[in-house]
Amino acid sequence: MTIAEIRKSTEDKMKKSVEALKHDLAKIRTGRAHAGLLDHIQVDYYGSMVPLSQVANVGLGDARTITVQPWEKKMVPTVEKAIRESDLGLNPATMGDLIRVPMPPLTEERRKELTKVVKHEGENAKVAVRNLRRDANTHLKDLLKKKLVSEDEERKAQDDVQKLTDRNIADIDKLIVEKEKEILTV
């Protein structure tokens, strides 16, 4: 492995860690409705579990209501049950073939709990990025031991990896601050 390959691999993995954090933060609900909230819900579709988005249109009725319209009329009760039994604590209401999912307002206590969850998720992402930095530095030291690179090249490459780490940690911090602000906004 060359220095360029190590750097590219580390950069890609760090980006994936930040993307994973974005995905995890999207699941944490604020007081407002957004269609992405229901993305991870699985529905029993003729014996196999499929994502909700594959059996229904998910949209927004208004700022506090998500609408779900199954493509098949007989899927309405199944979809409603899947939403009710999800870990989101939502209570859907059916009106004909349209399922309305109102978002209950968050209490102050719940908002504080959610900010703790956000910080914890951010900390996990930072740990993942730092572990990637450690792995990259280990690979660079191996190259130096095998005399495939000079000490100067290895030192410069370690500095590059550190800059990459700092940039990704800053991105993670920015995501956490934005999500906390979103949660605490009433």
Side-chain angles (χ1 to χ4, degrees), residues 5-171:
E5 289 170 341
I6 291 171
R7 188 185 186 295
K8 180 74 177 134
S9 166
T10 304
E11 185 175 11
D12 291 344
K13 289 177 184 172
M14 285 183 179
K15 279 183 184 168
K16 285 180 185 168
S17 293
V18 173
E19 287 303 315
L21 175 65
K22 282 181 188 174
H23 184 71
D24 290 345
L25 291 181
K27 288 181 186 172
I28 298 173
R29 75 181 182 90
T30 58
R32 292 189 301 279
H34 65 92
L37 202 61
L38 304 178
D39 282 351
H40 73 287
I41 294 179
Q42 298 283 313
V43 179
D44 182 14
Y45 185 70
Y46 299 108
S48 61
M49 298 305 280
V50 296
L52 178 64
S53 60
Q54 290 185 8
V55 296
N57 278 336
V58 180
L60 295 178
D62 56 49
R64 290 203 175 272
T65 310
I66 299 173
T67 58
V68 181
Q69 186 155 22
W71 295 321
E72 297 177 32
K73 188 127 174 94
K74 60 185 168 192
M75 287 301 296
V76 172
T78 311
V79 170
E80 184 179 5
K81 182 178 178 223
I83 295 170
R84 186 169 284 120
E85 292 177 353
S86 72
D87 59 351
L88 297 171
L90 299 173
N91 193 16
T94 305
M95 295 162 51
D97 61 347
L98 181 71
I99 301 169
R100 296 175 56 79
V101 186
M103 302 302 294
L106 295 173
T107 62
E108 189 63 33
E109 184 180 317
R110 183 69 181 132
R111 288 179 195 276
K112 287 189 172 117
E113 284 175 26
L114 287 174
T115 58
K116 287 179 187 171
V117 170
V118 167
K119 285 180 180 163
H120 180 71
E121 292 290 337
E123 210 43 56
N124 287 346
K126 287 180 188 178
V127 167
V129 167
R130 290 182 189 123
N131 286 341
L132 291 168
R133 174 188 61 194
R134 184 196 61 220
D135 293 346
N137 286 341
T138 304
H139 288 305
L140 291 169
K141 285 184 176 107
D142 288 345
L143 288 179
L144 182 63
K145 279 182 193 169
K146 293 175 185 170
K147 300 200 184 315
L148 297 173
V149 294
S150 69
E151 284 185 30
D152 289 345
E153 290 173 321
E154 188 253 354
R155 171 61 38 213
K156 185 180 180 316
Q158 279 192 359
D159 289 345
D160 283 351
V161 169
Q162 185 58 48
K163 286 176 187 163
L164 196 60
T165 303
D166 293 343
R167 194 168 57 236
N168 282 287
I169 296 284
D171 289 347

